[in-house]
Amino acid sequence: SPQYIQFHDILVPSQAHSRESLEYAQNFSVEDTDVLAVTYPKSGTIWMQEILPLVLNEGDLTPIRTIPNWDRAPWLEETRLAVVVDQLKSPRALVTHLPYGLMPPSFHTSKAKAIYVMRNPMDILVSSYYFHQMAAFLEDPGTFDEFMDKFLEGRVMFGKWTDHVKSWRGSDLGDRIMFITYEELVEDLPASVRRISAFTGKNLDEDTVQTIAKNCTFSSMKSNQMSNFSLVPKTYMDHDKSPFFRKGVVGDWKNHFSSEQVSRFAAVIRKELEGASFSLPWSLE
Ligand code: A3P
């Protein structure tokens, strides 16, 4: 499909990615002080992209008011990185959807840290279904049922969710990696900000934690034009079809899955994760 580039065993959208950008990512010099927000798409990427730079710059709100999110914490694998790399302040915040096995060699040899955000895959599927309707750079998802099959088979951007999670959960990064869920962020954002600041070695005072949390709520981000993708052309993202900041809740899958779809989905996910060294924090039913 012209909408995707095959990169090793995964597909990536050819909008925002190119052979050159993927090559650039492989040769990128990750620095010891870098912190990467790592996600499978629709797990809370843009949310962590907002939180992380604010933690690293100790609550300075200037960037979220003046710099679009994609340039504040650029994607490692996207074309924008080469354009803005020299403007990034240390410690740098980067974002990536790459599975662990496709991370650049310099990431492995560095002391850079990673924050892996996980989300209930049933909610990811729903979020992705709507995202495919609004993002012109992705193919029409078809029916929800058809899209579920695609998702389970990994015929979607960045491949199978289970492969992505297994790759990062199985990494040998020790204390260089922190796992957090979208559900934890929803449940207690200030506590999540505190966890992230402790992990990144920033001892933020409580006022700063609260300031960051307040500026990273769904409604704050949805109304911030530097974060809500309203600056991109309608031919790229059509928020009238479905807004990027769609619902921002836990459990919307209940409004979309039939009971047959719940069983089918859960059976495939459980099978894919058989023998995995970790268990999922959600019950898939
Ligand atoms: P929904 O489609 O379920 O609303 P990603 O950034 O990885 O593409 O993920 C997008 C999802 O994260 C969307 O989920 C979006 O609404 C949600 N999201 C983004 N910022 C959020 C926030 N501050 N609070 C809650 N959800 C947020």
Side-chain angles (χ1 to χ4, degrees), residues 89-146:
K89 298 213 177 74
S90 180
R92 304 185 298 192
L94 298 166
V95 167
T96 186
H97 289 315
L98 292 177
Y100 185 57
L102 296 180
M103 289 296 284
S106 67
F107 174 72
H108 298 291
T109 52
S110 76
K111 297 191 176 87
K113 292 183 174 176
I115 299 175
Y116 190 81
V117 187
M118 288 172 75
R119 185 181 190 185
N120 184 329
M122 301 168 94
D123 283 339
I124 291 178
L125 178 69
V126 172
S127 183
S128 191
Y129 179 66
Y130 286 99
F131 188 57
H132 277 68
Q133 294 176 0
M134 68 88 76
F137 56 90
L138 300 174
E139 85 282 12
D140 184 291
T143 66
F144 186 70
D145 205 64
E146 285 163 354

Side-chain angles (χ1 to χ4, degrees), residues 207-222:
D207 277 358
T208 308
V209 167
Q210 294 298 336
T211 300
I212 294 173
K214 190 169 153 276
N215 281 277
C216 293
T217 62
F218 183 82
S219 61
S220 299
M221 289 180 64
K222 191 180 171 96

Side-chain angles (χ1 to χ4, degrees), residues 42-47 119 127 182 216 218 245-248:
K42 310 321 287 178
S43 303
T45 321
I46 303 306
W47 201 356
R119 185 181 190 185
S127 183
Y182 177 91
C216 293
F218 183 82
F245 285 83
R246 195 184 62 88
K247 280 197 173 173

Side-chain angles (χ1 to χ4, degrees), residues 155-175:
R155 289 183 288 119
V156 287
M157 57 176 167
F158 295 93
K160 276 186 192 172
W161 177 79
T162 44
D163 286 344
H164 202 276
V165 173
K166 281 192 279 188
S167 79
W168 282 95
R169 296 294 306 223
S171 69
D172 49 4
L173 292 170
D175 57 12

